[in-house]
Amino acid sequence: KPQPQMWRALRDIAAREGCKIHDLCTLVQMRKHPDTSLTAAIRVFLMLYYRAAATDEGHGRAGHGNFSAMTRRARVCWESLTAETRELLVN
């Protein structure tokens, strides 16, 4: 079942592309492998859509490139991280 974040992303893409969510899902359905679920195919579509739009400048504006900052944005507490991950953050 698609999650709320997936629906938001689909709404954003549909607005940007000037179509309906139904049109996007139909396109994904037509292109997906028969053994792949529609939800999984939509996830791949979303990832590929946004990945194609990603730039170094955009990553910089989003604060990417710093795993320590990523863990803060994700609100992950230090104690829940593995020892290997903590080592990455310290060094």
Side-chain angles (χ1 to χ4, degrees), residues 57-89:
E57 181 182 332
H59 283 294
R61 282 195 315 268
H64 297 167
N66 182 326
F67 188 68
S68 180
M70 180 184 284
T71 58
R72 284 193 303 278
R73 286 192 307 272
R75 297 183 192 113
V76 175
C77 67
W78 181 260
E79 292 76 25
S80 66
L81 300 174
T82 65
E84 293 83 7
T85 302
R86 290 181 195 165
E87 184 67 24
L88 280 173
L89 295 174

Side-chain angles (χ1 to χ4, degrees), residues 24-46:
L24 293 173
C25 292
T26 298
L27 180 66
V28 171
Q29 175 68 35
M30 292 170 60
R31 297 284 304 155
K32 76 174 192 63
H33 188 278
D35 294 337
T36 302
S37 73
L38 181 57
T39 301
I42 289 171
R43 284 188 193 111
V44 171
F45 165 77
L46 294 173

